[in-house]
């Protein structure tokens, strides 16, 4: 007997995964966010509680600030690296790239604790909590910025650059008007991969900020932990989700990159 | 087709979510499901076998029946509590801390220990026969709302105090006996707070009311109040949660935050050893561990319980509703056998609630103490070098009228952390659980203490970004309008 799978059947495993671990849990979060802790009735109280508290709001703003700065620094470091790497004729490019991605293969906790010891050695561990936190975030998330940038830049059609030069464009102008716009998809996907995790990665802020820096992820954890208020925690998680959604809309992350119908229209 | 697959996926997902808790919830006569803290039971370093595994063999040898023990661990009381709330009946025996036991008793989540288990005449009942009179009294003196006491619902496991691990080379011994050491500018960036609301709130309380506590201590010293009155008063003060107190503690902790190195729950022990910090607010069991570890590296640390008074905590075995009581009670008796209690103490560093000759002898051996009998035979010169430690409160039932006072030449180290003396015990209080309303208030306090002040650059950066975004939109609009105008003009 011959086994035949059509496209829709092949998608079942992932479809199941999606429903089980993404959609239904998200449903739980929405349910908790909009219900009252004691009665279980519909309520907007959790959101009101969050937005009415100056501390919560400043924690949120601080997290956004830390995430933004981390993203910007990552971008500033990663773009030149990815650019040089993609453009160079160096034969062992993949080895170089591997060196940048290598830290990702080493246990995260180990790396952050090593950085903690290093900062202690330098003598700034207990002096610059916010700086250390951002440093740790950049250290941890840099590969997530380099990789998408590199893959976009390496695919960039060189004839475009030649055409630009032929038409008398200065290399700087070529970069601004050709390379940069064409690498936009890489930049956007790099940003989305760095920005969001940075806002919630409280292991880094706890380890390197020594507990002096509280970001929103830590706050959510407290809600599910000692505070035992799942409803508030879910509401904050939902607020974060909305922030990401809005920032994606603003940065155009939802635009179809290639309009082919492949992969689209699952159901 | 599309719809079919979708319905299928959802049906399967629902089935998964419905059966998942049921798979876990399955009480069986020959199965004991234990839920306890990580690293909280004696484990053979080579085979990885814990006392829970050995219980299977022991039980088989005793009754001939084959049973299975499932031992899982949790990281915080709250995680355990939430899990039990979501799928009740998934465990037979749990080991929460005192405040969580209180909460669970109050919410009627626990089974009572049977009369057979509490029967002291049965020689097989290792727990009730061996538990220290101090712990027994502590449990029995705490009434529950239905007229029973903690002793009906919980069997003790480990207990300890909270205090400071400190480096005597760097810290003045006269400072460290007070809670205010953490607020002391002299020790800026040298101490830590616990990243845990209850413990740090407690410390704040002890600091805020240190005058009141000191007055009480003086009254007790002068014989104006007896030890029971003293301890009751300390318990009242260190359980205050009125609004005024919460506000004061918040203020105090905010100041402390500016002075400390940081908040931690686990890294403190190591930071003490590497010398990043010199004072670590810690649980006594962790102190034993840290002092041991440091000693191996040639660093000598001490442990102190401030004179104002401190927190006494314990973890105990409780059986949630629907538990396999027979096996659970058997296990508590097994783990309470003196040799097992000793094995656990050696492994974990915390203090077992089990007393009796065997535990006493282990302690004397382990810490190289001098018993009262041996002390009498020493010369007076030798005697003068030893300090007496009165442990009568704990070892109150030694055989043949042996004295429970021991003599040591090492003060304020592992031995003191594991077995605090009577003076320390008198000034230690149990911290009750917070009801929901209080918990919310203290959570807000914690949020405010932990919250980071918003730096100006964040506001500037966010403002700039918004301005750039708005500016871009406006620029585009103007550009389009001008272009439209230009095109219209050129057409003319």
């Amino acid at each position: 007997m011959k086994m035949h799978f059509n496209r829709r059947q092949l998608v079942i495993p992932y479809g199941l995964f999606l429903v089980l671990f993404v959609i239904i849990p998200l449903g739980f979060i929405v349910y908790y966010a909009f219900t009252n802790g004691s009665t279980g009735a519909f309520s907007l109280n959790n959101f009101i509680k969050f937005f009415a508290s100056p501390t919560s709001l400043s924690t949120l703003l601080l997290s956004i600030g830390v995430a933004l700065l981390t993203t910007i620094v990552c971008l500033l470091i990663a773009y030149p690296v990815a650019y040089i790497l993609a453009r160079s004729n160096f034969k062992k490019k993949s080895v170089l790239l591997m060196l940048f991605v290598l830290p990702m293969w080493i246990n995260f906790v180990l790396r952050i604790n090593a950085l903690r010891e290093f900062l202690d050695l330098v003598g700034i561990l207990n002096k610059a909590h916010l700086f250390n936190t951002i440093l740790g975030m950049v250290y941890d998330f840099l590969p997530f910025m380099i990789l998408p940038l590199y893959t976009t830049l390496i695919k960039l059609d060189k004839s475009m650059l030649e055409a630009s030069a032929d038409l008398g464009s200065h290399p700087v102008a070529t970069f601004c008007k050709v390379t940069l716009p064409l690498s936009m998809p890489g930049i956007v996907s790099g940003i989305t991969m760095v920005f969001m995790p940075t806002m919630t990665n409280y292991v880094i802020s706890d380890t390197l900020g020594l507990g002096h820096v509280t970001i929103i992820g830590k706050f959510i954890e407290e809600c599910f932990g000692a505070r035992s208020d799942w409803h508030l925690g879910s509401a904050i998680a939902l607020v974060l989700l909305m922030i990401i959604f809005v920032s994606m809309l603003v940065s155009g992350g939802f635009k179809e990159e290639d309009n082919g119908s492949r992969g689209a229209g699952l159901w | 087709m599309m719809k079919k697959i979708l319905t299928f996926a959802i049906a399967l997902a629902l089935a998964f979510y419905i059966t998942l808790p049921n798979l876990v919830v399955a009480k069986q006569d020959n199965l004991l499901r234990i839920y306890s803290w990580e690293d909280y039971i004696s484990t053979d370093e080579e085979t990885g076998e814990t006392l829970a595994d050995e219980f299977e063999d022991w039980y088989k040898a005793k009754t001939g029946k084959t049973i299975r023990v499932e031992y899982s661990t949790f990281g915080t009381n709250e995680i355990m509590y939430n899990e039990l709330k979501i799928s009740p009946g998934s465990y037979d025996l749990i080991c929460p801390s005192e405040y969580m036991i209180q909460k669970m008793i109050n919410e009627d989540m626990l089974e009572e220990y049977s009369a057979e288990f509490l029967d002291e005449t049965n020689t097989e009942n290792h727990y009730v026969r061996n538990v220290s009179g101090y712990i027994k009294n502590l449990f029995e003196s705490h009434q529950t709302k239905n007229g029973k006491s903690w002793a009906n619902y919980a069997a003790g496991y480990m207990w300890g105090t909270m205090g400071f691990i400190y480096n005597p080379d760097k810290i003045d011994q006269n400072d460290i006996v007070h809670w205010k050491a953490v607020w002391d500018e002299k020790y800026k960036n040298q101490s830590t707070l616990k990243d845990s609301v209850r413990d740090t709130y407690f410390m704040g309380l002890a600091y805020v009311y240190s005058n009141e506590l000191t007055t009480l201590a003086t009254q007790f010293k002068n014989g104006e109040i007896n030890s029971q009155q003293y301890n009751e008063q300390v318990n009242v003060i260190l359980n205050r949660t009125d609004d005024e107190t919460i506000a004061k503690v918040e203020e105090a902790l905010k100041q402390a935050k500016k002075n400390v190195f940081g908040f931690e729950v686990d890294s403190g022990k190591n930071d003490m050893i590497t010398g990043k910090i010199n004072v670590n607010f810690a649980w006594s069991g962790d102190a034993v561990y840290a002092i041991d570890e440091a000693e191996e590296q040639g660093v000598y640390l001490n442990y102190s319980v401030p004179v104002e008074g401190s927190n006494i905590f314990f973890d105990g075995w409780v059986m949630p509703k629907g538990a396999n009581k027979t096996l659970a009670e058997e296990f508590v008796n097994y783990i309470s056998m003196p040799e097992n209690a000793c094995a656990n103490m050696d492994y974990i560093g915390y203090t077992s609630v089990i007393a009796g000759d065997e535990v006493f002898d282990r302690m004397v051996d382990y810490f190289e103490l001098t018993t009262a009998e041996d002390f009498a035979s020493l010369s007076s010169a030798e005697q003068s070098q030893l300090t007496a430690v009165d442990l009568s409160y704990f070892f109150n039932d030694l055989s043949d009228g042996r004295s429970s006072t021991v003599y040591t030449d090492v003060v304020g180290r592992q031995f003191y952390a594991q077995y605090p003396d009577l003076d320390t015990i008198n000034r230690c209080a149990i911290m009750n659980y917070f009801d929901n309303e209080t918990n919310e208030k203290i959570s807000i306090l914690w949020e405010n203490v932990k919250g980071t002040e918003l730096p100006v650059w964040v506001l500037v950066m966010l403002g700039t970004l918004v301005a750039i975004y708005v500016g871009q939109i406006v620029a585009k609009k103007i550009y389009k309008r001008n272009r439209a105008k230009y095109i219209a003009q050129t057409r003319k």
Side-chain angles (χ1 to χ4, degrees):
Chain A
M1 205 177 81
K2 236 180 168 181
M3 294 287 273
H4 258 300
F5 290 112
N6 64 27
R7 222 177 251 167
R8 286 201 170 113
Q9 282 165 336
L10 285 174
V11 112
I12 288 179
Y14 181 67
L16 258 182
F17 180 86
L18 195 73
V19 173
L20 271 180
F21 299 113
V22 180
I23 297 179
I24 293 184
L26 203 62
F28 283 142
I29 291 182
V30 173
Y31 168 77
Y32 273 110
F34 285 103
T35 46
N36 183 308
S38 46
T39 60
F42 174 82
S43 140
L44 290 174
N45 224 342
N46 305 311
F47 293 94
I48 297 171
K49 217 195 275 180
F50 177 70
F51 284 109
S53 152
T55 324
S56 314
L57 276 183
S58 79
T59 305
L60 179 67
L61 284 182
L62 180 81
S63 313
I64 295 179
V66 167
L68 265 177
L69 200 62
T70 305
T71 315
I72 292 171
V73 173
C74 275
L75 194 62
L76 288 180
I77 298 175
Y79 202 96
V81 170
Y83 185 77
I84 294 167
L85 223 56
R87 296 288 304 278
S88 75
N89 294 322
F90 185 55
K91 274 185 197 148
K92 300 254 159 65
K93 259 201 275 217
S94 55
V95 177
L96 258 181
L97 184 70
M98 202 190 78
L99 279 180
F100 283 103
V101 186
L102 193 68
M104 266 165 73
W105 301 340
I106 295 166
N107 183 288
F108 159 74
V109 180
L110 200 70
R111 262 185 293 143
I112 292 304
N113 276 299
L115 186 59
R116 186 175 189 266
E117 293 300 318
F118 174 75
L119 288 171
D120 181 50
L121 209 68
V122 177
I124 56 169
L125 180 60
N126 56 18
K127 295 197 178 68
H129 304 123
L130 215 50
F131 173 82
N132 293 343
T133 305
I134 293 170
L135 182 68
M137 299 275 190
V138 170
Y139 176 47
D140 196 56
F141 289 108
L142 192 59
F144 293 95
M145 189 63 102
I146 295 183
L147 270 186
L149 281 175
Y150 175 75
T151 40
T152 331
L153 286 169
I154 197 126
K155 279 193 298 188
L156 198 125
D157 195 345
K158 286 222 173 89
S159 51
M160 301 262 195
L161 305 179
E162 281 162 18
S164 170
D166 281 351
L167 293 169
S169 174
H170 186 268
V172 175
T174 307
F175 176 79
C176 291
K177 295 206 162 154
V178 181
T179 315
L180 197 59
L182 281 176
S183 61
M184 252 354 240
I187 294 179
V188 169
S189 89
I191 288 176
T192 45
M193 276 167 89
V194 172
F195 185 75
M196 181 60 181
T198 317
M199 277 180 74
T200 50
N201 195 329
Y202 63 86
V203 176
I204 295 181
S205 63
D206 270 5
T207 317
L208 300 175
L210 305 174
H212 286 286
V213 179
T214 300
I215 59 173
I216 198 77
K218 176 78 179 173
F219 192 40
I220 297 176
E221 192 256 357
E222 291 271 349
C223 287
F224 282 87
R227 193 163 179 173
S228 283
D229 192 343
W230 290 24
H231 302 268
L232 181 60
S234 301
I236 305 171
L238 215 57
V239 169
L240 277 192
L241 211 63
M242 290 320 291
I243 291 176
I244 293 308
F245 201 74
V246 169
S247 66
M248 291 270 280
L249 268 186
V250 169
S251 64
F254 287 131
K255 277 181 202 151
E256 284 286 333
E257 284 172 30
D258 43 348
N259 299 319
S261 59
R262 280 193 301 146
L266 170 61
W267 302 114
Chain B
M1 184 67 194
M2 211 166 69
K3 266 190 185 162
K4 257 189 202 164
I5 295 175
L6 188 68
T7 334
F8 176 68
I10 290 183
L12 216 68
L14 282 178
F16 175 77
Y17 276 100
I18 291 165
T19 50
L20 191 67
N22 292 333
L23 285 177
V24 182
V25 181
K27 177 183 159 187
Q28 290 166 20
D29 286 341
N30 55 357
L31 174 69
L32 177 64
R33 296 157 304 168
I34 303 172
Y35 201 27
S36 180
W37 297 88
E38 283 158 25
D39 279 331
Y40 215 43
I41 190 164
S42 172
T43 309
D44 191 307
E45 301 276 349
E46 277 167 31
T47 60
E49 281 221 335
T50 66
L51 278 181
D53 299 319
E54 279 167 33
F55 173 65
E56 292 173 359
D57 306 334
W58 179 82
Y59 191 77
K60 176 134 199 206
K62 189 186 165 196
T63 65
K65 287 184 208 149
T66 307
I67 53 148
R68 200 161 56 85
V69 177
E70 264 178 29
Y71 189 87
S72 16
T73 58
F74 55 84
T76 69
N77 282 301
E78 284 73 21
I79 290 176
M80 181 282 298
Y81 175 83
N82 287 335
E83 197 178 327
L84 208 65
K85 274 275 165 178
I86 290 171
S87 53
S90 42
Y91 296 100
D92 300 310
L93 193 61
I94 307 181
C95 190
S97 305
E98 75 293 328
Y99 76 96
M100 192 49 82
I101 295 178
Q102 251 181 314
K103 188 175 157 91
M104 289 167 92
I105 293 177
N106 248 15
E107 295 181 8
D108 200 21
M109 291 169 72
L110 301 179
E111 293 275 357
E112 276 181 55
Y113 277 96
S114 65
E116 291 80 54
F117 178 83
L118 299 172
D119 177 14
E120 283 186 43
T121 55
N122 184 346
T123 49
E124 302 270 284
N125 284 343
H126 301 288
Y127 176 72
V128 283
R129 289 173 70 91
N130 292 320
V131 65
S132 157
Y134 168 66
I135 300 290
K136 197 175 160 215
N137 184 33
L138 201 70
F139 275 39
E140 284 171 355
S141 63
H142 281 84
Q143 301 290 313
T144 58
K145 56 185 177 189
N146 58 1
K148 305 252 164 103
S149 76
W150 290 0
N152 293 91
Y153 293 95
Y157 183 45
M158 294 283 164
W159 67 285
T161 53
M162 284 206 85
F164 291 127
I165 312 174
Y166 66 100
N167 187 335
D169 292 341
K170 306 276 173 59
I171 304 287
D172 188 339
Q173 312 244 5
N174 297 319
D175 292 336
I176 201 67
V177 294
H178 300 292
W179 289 109
K180 66 170 186 277
V182 166
W183 280 261
D184 195 339
E185 296 231 344
K186 211 159 92 188
Y187 304 123
K188 196 169 171 64
N189 277 333
Q190 293 190 40
S191 57
T192 56
L193 296 172
K194 278 267 169 273
D195 195 0
S196 132
V197 199
R198 288 181 59 86
D199 300 306
T200 300
Y201 179 76
F202 185 89
M203 181 196 239
L205 270 179
Y207 171 74
V208 166
Y209 293 115
S210 56
N211 286 341
E212 219 171 308
L213 289 165
T214 311
T215 315
L216 275 177
T218 322
Q219 283 175 343
F220 172 60
K221 214 172 171 184
N222 297 341
E224 291 161 37
I225 49 175
N226 65 28
S227 66
Q228 200 189 342
Q229 286 166 325
Y230 175 46
N231 195 263
E232 271 169 18
Q233 290 295 313
V234 173
N235 263 291
V236 169
I237 295 173
L238 294 177
N239 272 300
R240 284 184 185 157
T241 53
D242 54 285
D243 290 348
E244 197 191 325
T245 302
I246 292 181
K248 278 186 196 161
V249 171
E250 179 173 331
E251 210 33 61
L253 290 180
K254 276 179 176 167
Q255 277 169 15
K257 187 187 173 188
K258 287 182 195 145
N259 201 48
V260 296
F261 174 80
F263 296 79
E264 57 84 37
V265 278
D266 209 32
S267 58
K269 291 174 259 181
N270 235 331
D271 288 350
M272 283 299 297
I273 298 170
T274 55
K276 288 190 192 66
I277 51 172
N278 296 317
V279 179
N280 180 212
F281 178 44
W283 296 284
S284 54
D286 280 359
V288 175
Y289 173 86
I291 295 171
D292 276 345
E293 287 286 305
E295 211 170 290
E296 277 173 30
Q297 307 198 20
V299 182
Y300 289 87
L301 303 178
N302 282 8
Y303 179 72
S304 110
V305 176
V307 292
E308 289 92 2
S310 182
N311 177 226
I312 190 157
F313 64 85
F314 60 82
D315 296 320
W317 297 107
V318 297
M319 301 177 288
K321 280 264 148 76
N324 182 342
K325 280 176 67 170
T326 325
L327 277 186
E329 289 181 348
E330 278 286 353
F331 181 79
V332 172
N333 276 326
Y334 171 76
I335 204 91
S336 303
M337 289 160 71
E339 66 262 37
N340 290 339
C342 291
N344 278 328
M345 264 194 279
D346 291 348
Y347 184 77
I348 313 167
Y350 282 86
T351 320
S352 170
V353 299
I354 302 300
D357 290 284
E358 228 170 303
V359 178
F360 182 78
D361 291 336
R362 172 257 177 204
M363 174 188 80
V364 169
D365 272 2
Y366 194 87
F367 296 112
E368 295 167 0
L369 307 172
T370 310
T371 58
E373 293 83 33
D374 293 342
F375 184 74
S377 60
L378 293 176
S379 70
S380 57
E382 284 169 319
Q383 282 183 349
S384 66
Q385 290 186 351
L386 299 177
T387 313
V389 179
D390 181 0
L391 295 177
S392 56
Y393 73 95
F394 194 77
F395 293 102
N396 56 346
D397 55 352
L398 295 179
S399 59
D400 307 331
R402 289 170 73 189
S403 165
S404 56
T405 301
V406 290
Y407 298 85
T408 177
D409 54 351
V410 186
V411 180
R413 307 206 54 213
Q414 288 100 326
F415 171 52
Y416 177 63
Q418 207 159 48
Y419 289 102
D421 55 19
L422 184 61
D423 283 347
T424 310
I425 289 301
N426 280 334
R427 60 176 192 262
C428 283
I430 288 206
M431 195 183 190
N432 295 326
Y433 86 103
F434 305 140
D435 59 37
N436 287 344
E437 200 188 327
T438 314
N439 195 43
E440 181 66 17
K441 282 183 197 164
I442 291 177
S443 296
I444 292 171
L445 164 149
W446 189 238
E447 187 188 322
N448 292 338
V449 170
K450 285 299 298 290
T452 316
E453 214 175 297
L454 199 59
V456 187
W457 63 260
V458 171
L459 290 175
V460 172
M461 193 169 66
L462 289 177
T464 323
L465 272 174
V466 171
I468 290 177
Y469 184 63
V470 172
Q472 212 182 2
I473 294 174
V474 173
K476 255 186 199 166
K477 279 242 164 88
I478 293 174
Y479 174 74
K480 266 186 190 165
R481 197 193 294 156
N482 288 348
R483 214 174 99 139
K485 253 190 213 164
Y486 174 74
I487 292 172
Q489 272 175 2
T490 46
R491 288 235 174 104
K492 270 180 199 168

